[in-house]
Amino acid sequence: MKKEISEANKALKNGRYDEAILIYKEILKSKNIAEIHFNLGLILKMQNKLDEAEKHFSNAISLKDNFILAHYQMGNTKYKLKKFDESEICYNRAISFKPNFLEAYINLGRAQRELRKFKEAEDNLRIAKKLNPEFLEANVLLGLILFDRGRLSDDLEHQDVEKLNEAKKILKK
């Protein structure tokens, strides 16, 4: 089995995805391994076979609940499927196992923005910014969230000028 796993991983690394899928599926016939489900999920997600990818990430998680990257990739898959509420849960789960998971905070903020949970998104993006103040994606998304929060309505009386100014400052930088 080690030989098959090595062959599949080599095929994956070299971009021979169909070959890797066949070998991984063959391995799963004899042994249910979380990492194999995870790798299959990654390939299927790259091929935009999101429903299939979702199943394999789910299998990986059911076999190994603390599989941080499986929770994260499940969140990414659900986000692509526009299941933003479910992706939010997945990112939170990944963060519960790894509290300094920068990318999970960013994607959590992105999902919360889609759900119009602007305050929660802002909080999570501020955590991301603390983890890496220079990370462009965290800064841009935080700026956009602040812009969203600042313009609660088109009515100038209800706009939060402080949030708009902070958004402008972050996005300019």
Side-chain angles (χ1 to χ4, degrees):
M1 173 139 0
K2 280 185 178 181
K3 182 182 176 215
E4 289 89 351
I5 291 172
S6 179
E7 283 177 33
N9 290 343
K10 185 177 178 183
L12 173 60
K13 185 178 177 186
N14 292 321
R16 298 189 317 269
Y17 302 128
D18 291 335
E19 180 184 339
I21 287 172
L22 289 174
I23 299 169
Y24 285 139
K25 285 185 175 179
E26 199 57 40
I27 293 167
L28 289 174
K29 287 180 183 175
S30 60
K31 186 146 182 170
N32 218 3
I33 303 170
E35 288 76 6
I36 301 299
H37 281 290
F38 176 77
N39 288 351
L40 259 173
L42 282 179
I43 296 169
L44 294 164
K45 186 175 131 271
M46 284 189 293
Q47 295 180 332
N48 218 32
K49 297 176 182 173
L50 301 177
D51 292 326
E52 247 187 291
E54 189 177 20
K55 288 175 191 161
H56 283 286
F57 290 132
S58 180
N59 288 336
I61 291 166
S62 69
L63 291 168
K64 188 176 175 183
D65 183 55
N66 65 345
F67 199 152
I68 298 163
L69 289 177
H71 286 284
Y72 175 72
Q73 289 298 340
M74 175 71 97
N76 292 342
T77 303
K78 288 185 179 289
Y79 184 91
K80 284 182 103 174
L81 287 165
K82 298 190 183 317
K83 297 178 181 178
F84 304 118
D85 53 340
E86 293 178 37
S87 68
E88 178 184 32
I89 292 166
C90 295
Y91 295 132
N92 274 319
R93 193 83 174 117
I95 290 167
S96 75
F97 290 115
K98 185 179 177 186
N100 63 343
F101 196 162
L102 175 66
E103 293 84 356
Y105 280 107
I106 291 168
N107 288 352
L108 175 58
R110 183 175 283 114
Q112 289 169 327
R113 182 174 189 229
E114 292 291 340
L115 293 166
R116 302 190 61 77
K117 294 181 176 180
F118 298 124
K119 170 71 173 106
E120 292 92 334
E122 178 185 341
D123 292 345
N124 285 306
L125 289 161
R126 288 193 187 281
I127 293 169
K129 195 167 157 49
K130 261 188 199 159
L131 291 171
N132 186 342
E134 301 306 314
F135 198 74
L136 180 65
E137 196 174 353
N139 283 293
V140 168
L141 196 52
L142 177 58
L144 293 173
I145 296 292
L146 290 169
F147 180 76
D148 289 337
R149 291 201 66 207
R151 62 166 179 83
L152 293 176
S153 78
D154 291 332
D155 178 2
L156 286 175
E157 289 178 39
H158 295 101
Q159 290 186 340
D160 185 335
V161 177
E162 244 178 73
K163 296 266 185 233
L164 288 170
N165 286 335
E166 186 179 0
K168 184 179 175 182
K169 180 180 167 191
I170 288 172
L171 292 170
K172 252 186 165 178
K173 185 178 175 188

